[in-house]
Amino acid sequence: MQSLEIFEKSNDKEGLDLGASPAQSFSDLTEIHMQLARFNHHRLDPQVPCALWTSELKIESAMRVLENKMLEKEISFIKPLTVDLPTNAKLFMHWFEELRHSGPGQNDTLFDWLEEAANHDEMTWFIRQEVAGEAGFEDLTALTQIKMPTRPKLELARNYWDEMGRGNEKGMHGPMLSNLAKELNIEPPSLEETTAEAAALGNIMMAMAMNRRYAYHSAGALGVIELTAPGRALKVYHGLKRLGLSPEAQRYYLIHSSLDIKHSEAWNAEVLLPLVTENPALALPIAEGALLRLNAGRRCFERYRKELWGPAH
């Protein structure tokens, strides 16, 4: 496939430095992420059997090879951040929780601006990218929990049930974001409207959850979302409220500004700590997954600032 050829050429390119900063190296993955975004758009849709299933499997096989190579390269970007990573469970959890303050993309000024200054059109553009990069936390959690040990599995189940509104449609988190998009007149974003960075965010999360060799990476990535999202969500909520959106439209970010704090505490205590206590070697994949998610978010914030503020900023 063309994207596979692009990947091989990028790897073979003379002078390509896998240890270079992500901002410099990400351009090599842009076309690959856009291709994977097209693939993921239909990947999990319920379908019916068709006569061309053998051809579909060939395409899927090629795309999954591409996906795994993408993950390997993305991990190479964050690998230096895992030097001296502690494997003692308590020390590791201290390292992990510190990501809230010092991890890639934390305290980005984009969110102060969204809270205090963004106008309606600028906020709409931002939310459009958020919708485009949303891979579905509840689905990612469901995929990640498969065959996990009992204690982490139960916490993943509790988290999933909260995401699903505890059985109440009005409490489901996914439709809350849809309600916000609807009020802002945002149609499902086309690929042309989606930045490569937003596409990459969704691709990375989906890749970790769909490939069992990256299941612990996925647990780390989902856990770091719960850890770092509340502060950003609160600022976006304040921005939406300032712009006069309805309480229903504000609700998605309001809920995540508070509920995710409790989710993070439970995730750390019931998922990550038991996993690393039982097997210290799991500290590395969990840490890599968290850093993959944070680094992808950092790239998004930088791109959003460039688009919304102009290159001079």
Side-chain angles (χ1 to χ4, degrees):
M1 296 183 69
Q2 183 181 14
S3 292
L4 283 171
E5 294 173 0
I6 291 171
F7 187 93
E8 296 300 342
K9 287 179 181 177
S10 72
N11 259 350
D12 292 341
K13 186 173 63 178
E14 184 177 357
L16 179 63
D17 181 7
L18 293 181
S21 70
Q24 294 173 344
S25 301
F26 177 68
S27 61
D28 299 319
L29 282 173
T30 296
E31 177 56 35
I32 290 168
H33 273 302
M34 300 309 282
Q35 184 74 8
L36 284 170
R38 295 185 189 97
F39 173 60
N40 282 326
H41 182 70
H42 301 287
R43 186 179 199 176
L44 297 180
D45 286 348
Q47 299 177 30
V48 296
C50 79
L52 300 177
W53 64 269
T54 53
S55 297
E56 289 181 349
L57 284 178
K58 289 179 182 178
I59 294 172
E60 180 178 353
S61 177
M63 292 305 297
R64 293 191 68 174
V65 169
L66 180 69
E67 177 179 69
N68 280 266
K69 288 188 174 184
M70 173 274 292
L71 275 180
E72 289 178 349
K73 192 168 186 181
E74 291 281 2
I75 288 172
S76 76
F77 297 158
I78 54 88
K79 202 67 176 176
L81 300 179
T82 63
V83 174
D84 299 325
L85 178 75
T87 57
N88 171 273
K90 289 184 179 180
L91 293 177
F92 171 76
M93 292 311 304
H94 178 76
W95 177 92
F96 186 87
E97 290 169 4
E98 180 60 25
L99 292 174
R100 180 194 295 116
H101 307 292
S102 59
Q106 297 312 292
N107 306 309
D108 196 289
T109 54
L110 170 71
F111 294 92
D112 295 325
W113 178 80
L114 289 169
E115 180 179 32
E116 300 167 1
N119 63 32
H120 190 278
D121 289 344
E122 291 163 339
M123 182 65 79
T124 299
W125 187 92
F126 167 78
I127 297 298
R128 180 177 288 112
Q129 298 304 315
E130 289 281 279
V131 172
E134 175 59 43
F137 196 97
E138 74 283 7
D139 292 335
L140 296 173
T141 302
L143 289 166
T144 301
Q145 63 80 37
I146 296 170
K147 298 295 184 181
M148 281 287 182
T150 299
R151 186 174 168 189
K153 190 180 185 76
L154 284 171
E155 182 54 40
L156 289 164
R158 286 187 286 266
N159 192 293
Y160 174 84
W161 193 231
D162 279 349
E163 291 284 330
M164 294 297 292
R166 295 182 170 269
N168 185 336
E169 183 177 353
K170 291 184 178 180
M172 292 175 64
H173 293 190
M176 289 182 196
L177 183 58
S178 298
N179 290 339
L180 171 59
K182 184 177 181 181
E183 186 161 322
L184 292 172
N185 295 315
I186 296 174
E187 299 294 330
S190 66
L191 199 61
E192 290 71 26
E193 298 175 298
T194 303
T195 64
E197 290 80 2
L201 189 63
N203 292 339
I204 290 169
M205 294 302 298
M206 182 63 71
M208 289 187 288
M210 285 291 292
N211 293 279
R212 296 311 293 163
R213 70 181 65 85
Y214 290 101
Y216 298 113
H217 286 76
S218 184
L222 292 169
V224 89
I225 292 174
E226 302 282 32
L227 179 72
T228 61
R232 295 193 299 271
L234 184 62
K235 291 178 184 294
V236 176
Y237 161 69
H238 286 156
L240 295 171
K241 187 175 182 180
R242 173 179 56 79
L243 292 170
L245 274 79
S246 70
E248 290 75 19
Q250 301 169 25
R251 193 178 178 200
Y252 176 82
Y253 283 97
L254 176 60
I255 282 183
H256 284 81
S257 69
S258 56
L259 183 60
D260 283 358
I261 296 175
K262 296 179 180 179
H263 279 173
S264 177
E265 292 173 352
W267 196 287
N268 291 353
E270 299 297 321
V271 179
L272 304 185
L273 180 61
L275 287 174
V276 179
T277 298
E278 180 67 23
N279 183 359
L282 295 181
L284 181 59
I286 289 171
E288 288 180 344
L291 291 168
L292 283 174
R293 173 58 179 79
L294 292 180
N295 197 47
R298 179 194 62 79
R299 292 193 308 231
C300 285
F301 307 154
E302 291 178 355
R303 175 67 182 274
Y304 297 170
R305 281 190 275 105
K306 182 182 292 186
E307 295 291 333
L308 291 166
W309 299 355
H313 291 270

